[in-house]
Amino acid sequence: QPFLSGIAYITGFQWPAMIVLTLLAHPIVHTVLGEQWLEVVPVVQIMALATLLSLASELNSPILISHGAMRDLLVRGLITWPVAGIVIAIASFFGLKAVAVSFLLVTPFQTYVAFHFVRRHIALEWTDLLAACHKSMVVALCAGAGPAAVLLAAGATFTISIQLALFALMLAASGFGLAQFGRQDE
C-alpha cells in the first residue's frame, strides 16, 4: 500500500505539471529561456508527454533495494539500458525531435520492465496501479482543461501571449486545486 500511495502522490503532481507544460511550453520556454530557444518547444512538449509514462520511476529502485533484490536491479538495468541506448542512438540519426519521440517508446518500456521486477517482490497487480493512478488522471485533466480552453480560444495554437499564459496558469492552478479538494472528499 505505501508503494501505491507513493505512486498516487507522485502522479498527482507530476501528471498535471506535465500536461500544463505540454500545453504551455511555448510561452514558458519564451519566458524562461528567451526567443532564441523557441525551436525546442516541440522537444519540450514531447519529453513532457514521455514523462507521463514514467510511473514513479523514483520508487522502483528503492523497493528492490529494500527487498535485497540487488540482482534484479542489475538485470533490470541490463535489459532496459541497452534497449534505450540503441533506440535513442538510432533516433539520433534523425535529429533532436526524433530523439525526443524515441522517449515515447523507451519510457513505457522501462516502466513495464521496472514494474515486472517490483511485482516479483511485492503483491502488485496492474489493476492496482490503475486504481492508484485514476485520481491523478482526473486531477491532470482538470489542471489541463483551463489551459486547453485558452489555447482553443486563441485559435488552437500553442503560441499565446504571456498574459494569456498567466491566465491559463491561473486556470490550471484552479483546476488542480478543485480536483485536489474533490480527491479529499472521497
Side-chain angles (χ1 to χ4, degrees):
Q1 187 57 40
F3 180 74
L4 293 173
S5 293
I7 288 176
Y9 285 123
I10 290 170
T11 58
F13 287 98
Q14 178 184 3
W15 287 359
M18 292 303 108
I19 292 292
V20 171
L21 179 58
T22 300
L23 294 171
L24 301 178
H26 187 277
I28 291 171
V29 168
H30 186 266
T31 302
V32 175
L33 300 175
E35 193 169 322
Q36 69 274 18
W37 284 94
L38 289 178
E39 289 183 31
V40 302
V41 168
V43 174
V44 170
Q45 291 171 314
I46 295 166
M47 293 301 292
L49 290 175
T51 303
L52 291 172
L53 306 172
S54 67
L55 286 174
S57 58
E58 313 72 29
L59 297 177
N60 297 320
S61 293
I63 287 290
L64 294 175
I65 291 168
S66 70
H67 282 85
M70 299 308 291
R71 185 173 188 279
D72 282 352
L73 197 59
L74 174 65
V75 172
R76 184 193 75 181
L78 291 174
I79 293 169
T80 59
W81 295 340
V83 171
I86 290 168
V87 170
I88 294 167
I90 291 170
S92 72
F93 289 107
F94 301 98
L96 183 58
K97 205 179 291 185
V99 170
V101 169
S102 73
F103 277 85
L104 291 170
L105 302 171
V106 168
T107 305
F109 172 72
Q110 290 174 326
T111 299
Y112 175 80
V113 172
F115 280 130
H116 169 77
F117 283 101
V118 166
R119 289 179 63 215
R120 293 174 65 177
H121 299 281
I122 61 174
L124 180 68
E125 296 297 326
W126 292 101
T127 54
D128 297 331
L129 291 174
L130 288 175
C133 294
H134 88 275
K135 292 178 184 175
S136 299
M137 291 179 208
V138 171
V139 173
L141 290 172
C142 289
V150 169
L151 294 175
L152 287 172
T157 180
F158 290 113
T159 309
I160 59 173
S161 69
I162 299 303
Q163 293 82 5
L164 273 178
L166 288 173
F167 179 64
L169 282 173
M170 289 183 353
L171 291 175
S174 298
F176 177 82
L178 289 171
Q180 288 293 351
F181 182 73
R183 269 178 84 163
Q184 303 209 348
D185 287 345
E186 292 180 2

